[in-house]
């Protein structure tokens, strides 16, 4: 580790709280994990970066390239430095960061570590940051990274909310003190609430004496603590997989087998429900966001089996991938894609076209007010009217989000298997007055018969598993 960098750390003021100036809007990024897994190298990353620029995705705002697990050797040097796998990355991370930053559209390099003593992945992946927070912060800064994802792949620090807050805060402070503005993305653990959604499965099926936990900020943390801790905080029951929903997520990878019918529910729908059940919309905002996890948009089951692609599944449909982008935009979650951008335009041209045409949806995602959408309506197909909403019985949801200029973004989400006429009524959200409506995917206005204005509601047809995204603007 450079003595100059160490000296800089001593000279910089001690910064408490999240004070890095980044993450004012949710991250738009690409990650290696869902498609490439550990099979990632310098050539792949450079080619993905070039494709990010040449395809036009960078101009849409996707300007961050994140390398997940697989770039480090397992052991540190005698002085404690992390060791880059030079077989995979012969030029090293500083040179790679420079390469990304000098593209026609400058890109940032993101890396991955763990708050405990090892990362996830085969053979416990690479070294974790536990015991090396200040040391690693300086090394990451010396590589000029702009994003750091920090996993929690063991329980060395415990899942106690106070202990987690302490350790996540220590690494945050070390990154602040490094002198570099690094987006800090964390994966804390939390006890699953005893309520509806898939959370009920965890409690019912937990072994005797087991306290079911998953990736989410502890519910004991206040909004202020969360906002002062990290730029994004993962919120999910289990990893986001490349399928709509399965009652047992292991069916996507390893079945048939003895664990197939005992694993938890999984799929995009469980992640949507986690964003409702495991956090609160008002906890997100400029500088700190609830993260619904990396998306599989356009992977079509071709990706990394350890990330829930492949196996017996061909991935989601184009409509379902479009819904993924739509819901993450309205919820103000980071949008992190992972497809192989080098071949995407030719292998899956329809999905690639959908990505390029997502600009008006991404405007909602990046809205400067930074107010995440909230659930204003949902219905179920449960015959028992007293039944709690669950992942399997919710058939429609409507989310709405305040935007700049008095506009309102609305997502009409049809989770069911039949086409539905869905109505967003003004009284679900507030006194809106006369409004024009624009379809953010079709990029054209919606008319109320012959009038451009809707006065108290709007009703649209929504296909199964689809999401209509509209922007309601006040009358001039």
């Amino acid at each position: 580790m450079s003595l100059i960098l160490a000296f800089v750390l001593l000279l910089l003021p001690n910064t408490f709280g999240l004070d890095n100036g980044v993450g004012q809007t949710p991250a738009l990024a690409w990650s290696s994990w869902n498609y490439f897994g550990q099979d990632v190298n310098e050539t792949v990353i450079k080619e993905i970066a070039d494709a990010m620029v040449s395809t036009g995705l960078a101009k849409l705002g996707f300007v961050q390239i994140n390398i997940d697990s697989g770039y480090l050797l397992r052991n540190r040097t005698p002085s404690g430095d992390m060791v880059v796998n030079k077989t995979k990355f012969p030029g090293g991370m500083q040179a790679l960061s420079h390469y990304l930053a000098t593209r026609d559209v400058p890109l940032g390099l993101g890396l991955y570590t763990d708050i405990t003593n090892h990362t996830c992945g085969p053979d416990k992946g690479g070294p974790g940051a536990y015991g090396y927070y200040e040391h690693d912060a300086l090394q990451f800064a010396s590589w000029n990274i702009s994003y750091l994802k920090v996993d929690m792949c063991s329980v060395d620090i415990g899942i106690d909310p106070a202990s987690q807050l302490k350790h996540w805060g220590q690494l945050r402070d070390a990154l602040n003190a490094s002198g570099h503005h690094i987006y800090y993305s964390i994966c804390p653990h939390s006890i699953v609430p005893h309520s509806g959604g898939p959370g009920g499965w965890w409690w019912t099926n937990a072994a005797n004496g087991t306290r079911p936990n998953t990736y989410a900020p502890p519910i004991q943390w206040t909004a202020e603590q969360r906002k002062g801790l990290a730029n994004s905080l993962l919120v999910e029951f289990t990893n986001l997989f490349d399928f709509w929903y399965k009652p047992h997520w292991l069916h996507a990878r390893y079945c048939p087998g003895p664990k197939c019918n005992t694993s938890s529910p999984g799929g995009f729908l469980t992640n949507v429900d986690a964003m409702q059940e495991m956090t609160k919309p008002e906890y997100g905002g400029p500088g700190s966001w609830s993260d619904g996890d990396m998306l599989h948009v356009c992977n079509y089951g071709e990706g990394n089996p350890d990330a829930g692609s492949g196996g017996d599944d061909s991935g989601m449909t184009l409509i379902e991938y479009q819904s993924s982008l739509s819901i993450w935009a309205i919820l103000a979650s980071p949008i992190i894609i992972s497809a192989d951008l080098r071949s995407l335009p030719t292998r899956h041209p329809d999905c690639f076209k959908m990505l390029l045409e997502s600009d008006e949806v991404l405007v909602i995602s990046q809205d400067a007010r930074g107010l995440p959408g909230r659930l204003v309506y949902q219905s179920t197909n449960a015959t028992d009217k007293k039944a709690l909403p669950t992942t399997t019985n919710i058939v429609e949801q409507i989310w709405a989000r305040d935007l700049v200029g008095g506009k309102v973004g609305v997502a009409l989400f049809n989770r069911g298997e039949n086409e539905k006429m869905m109505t967003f009524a003004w009284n679900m959200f507030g006194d809106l007055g006369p409004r024009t409506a624009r379809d953010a995917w079709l990029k054209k206005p919606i008319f109320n018969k012959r009038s451009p204005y809707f006065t108290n509601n709007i009703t649209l047809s929504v296909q199964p598993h689809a999401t209509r995204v509209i922007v309601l603007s006040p009358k001039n």
Side-chain angles (χ1 to χ4, degrees):
M1 182 60 59
S2 166
L3 291 176
I4 294 176
L5 280 172
F7 183 63
V8 168
L9 178 60
L10 292 174
L11 290 180
L12 286 169
N14 195 5
T15 307
F16 297 96
L18 189 63
D19 187 26
N20 58 15
V22 299
Q24 295 306 298
T25 57
L28 299 179
W30 178 92
S31 168
S32 61
W33 181 250
N34 280 353
Y35 196 93
F36 293 96
Q38 301 258 342
D39 191 19
V40 63
N41 59 57
E42 186 174 299
T43 299
V44 166
I45 295 303
K46 287 182 175 180
E47 291 176 350
I48 290 292
D50 292 342
M52 185 85 88
V53 175
S54 65
T55 59
L57 287 173
K59 289 185 178 179
L60 287 179
F62 290 93
V63 292
Q64 184 69 47
I65 302 286
N66 295 342
I67 304 173
D68 211 281
S69 183
Y71 70 97
L72 292 176
L73 297 181
R74 180 68 182 94
N75 296 318
R76 296 174 177 267
T77 67
S79 61
D81 284 0
M82 296 173 286
V83 181
V84 173
N85 186 329
K86 288 301 183 73
T87 302
K88 292 182 174 183
F89 295 90
M93 288 301 145
Q94 189 176 58
L96 183 56
S97 177
H98 177 75
Y99 181 90
L100 300 185
T102 54
R103 300 306 88 200
D104 289 342
V105 178
L107 306 175
L109 174 64
L111 293 178
Y112 168 88
T113 187
D114 197 281
I115 197 70
T116 68
N117 65 12
H118 66 81
T119 66
C120 295
D123 300 320
K124 296 185 177 180
Y130 183 60
Y132 293 87
Y133 296 154
E134 293 81 7
H135 190 100
D136 286 0
L138 286 175
Q139 192 169 4
F140 285 128
S142 74
W143 291 339
N144 295 316
I145 71 168
S146 54
Y147 189 112
L148 184 65
K149 174 186 171 182
V150 188
D151 216 330
M152 186 176 172
C153 295
S154 74
V155 292
D156 298 327
I157 66 171
I159 63 170
D160 174 72
S163 176
Q164 284 197 70
L165 191 66
K166 170 187 172 183
H167 285 273
W168 293 114
Q170 287 175 344
L171 182 51
R172 170 206 61 200
D173 293 342
L175 292 170
N176 282 347
S178 74
H180 283 247
H181 300 291
I182 299 174
Y183 186 107
Y184 184 38
S185 172
I186 70 173
C187 306
H189 283 201
S190 180
I191 302 299
V192 176
H194 195 171
S195 57
W201 179 94
W202 291 76
W203 283 100
T204 302
N205 291 274
N208 290 337
T210 297
R211 300 175 67 205
N213 72 88
T214 188
Y215 279 127
I219 58 176
Q220 294 87 349
W221 289 357
T222 66
E224 291 71 24
Q225 286 173 324
R226 285 181 47 165
K227 291 176 181 178
L229 190 60
N231 296 113
S232 61
L233 302 92
L234 185 60
V235 179
E236 62 184 7
F237 291 108
T238 190
N239 291 349
L240 199 161
F241 300 122
D242 195 6
F243 46 83
W244 189 245
Y245 175 79
K246 289 181 183 291
H248 305 289
W249 65 265
L250 276 171
H251 274 288
R253 295 196 276 179
Y254 304 121
C255 292
K259 294 184 178 180
C260 294
N261 295 320
T262 59
S263 60
S264 68
F268 176 66
L269 290 184
T270 68
N271 289 68
V272 173
D273 292 341
M275 289 287 279
Q276 176 66 23
E277 188 171 339
M278 298 295 290
T279 187
K280 296 180 180 180
E282 61 268 24
Y283 281 9
S288 185
W289 308 95
S290 295
D291 179 4
D293 204 2
M294 304 171 289
L295 295 174
H296 285 268
V297 170
C298 302
N299 282 353
Y300 288 103
E302 297 169 357
N304 167 26
D306 285 330
S309 296
D312 67 352
D313 207 274
S314 59
M316 290 196 278
T317 67
L318 179 63
I319 284 177
E320 291 166 348
Y321 287 138
Q322 191 176 62
S323 282
S324 302
L325 286 172
S326 301
I327 300 301
W328 267 211
I330 207 77
L331 294 181
S333 168
I335 295 177
I336 303 176
I337 60 175
S338 59
D340 188 346
L341 302 181
R342 302 170 301 178
S343 59
L344 184 61
T346 54
R347 287 179 61 81
H348 302 295
D350 289 345
C351 201
F352 174 67
K353 180 173 180 286
M354 182 268 291
L355 271 176
L356 288 184
E357 293 178 349
S358 66
D359 52 309
E360 292 193 17
V361 174
L362 294 179
V363 167
I364 296 173
S365 162
Q366 301 295 291
D367 185 78
R369 290 196 69 183
L371 297 174
R374 63 181 188 267
L375 183 66
V376 297
Y377 174 80
Q378 72 179 4
S379 67
T380 77
N381 60 9
T383 55
D384 181 357
K385 300 305 180 183
K386 296 181 180 179
L388 287 171
T390 67
T391 300
T392 55
N393 68 23
I394 298 171
V395 291
E396 57 182 331
Q397 291 176 313
I398 299 177
W399 307 80
R401 177 178 177 183
D402 278 310
L403 306 174
V404 295
K407 298 179 181 180
V408 176
V410 179
L412 307 174
F413 183 30
N414 181 0
R415 298 170 52 141
E417 303 304 318
N418 301 299
E419 181 179 358
K420 294 182 180 298
M421 299 301 294
M422 296 182 64
T423 298
F424 172 70
W426 283 200
N427 61 12
M428 294 176 179
F429 194 70
D431 184 13
L432 301 180
R435 295 268 164 164
T436 60
R438 181 175 175 85
D439 189 304
W441 279 112
L442 298 179
K443 300 182 183 181
K444 63 181 184 181
I446 303 170
F447 291 97
N448 184 12
K449 296 180 180 179
R450 296 183 179 181
S451 169
Y453 298 108
F454 295 82
T455 56
N456 52 33
N457 67 74
I458 182 170
T459 299
L460 298 173
S461 172
V462 188
Q463 296 296 314
H465 297 194
T467 305
R468 296 288 297 270
V469 181
I470 57 177
V471 176
L472 302 173
S473 300
K475 184 175 182 180
N476 294 331

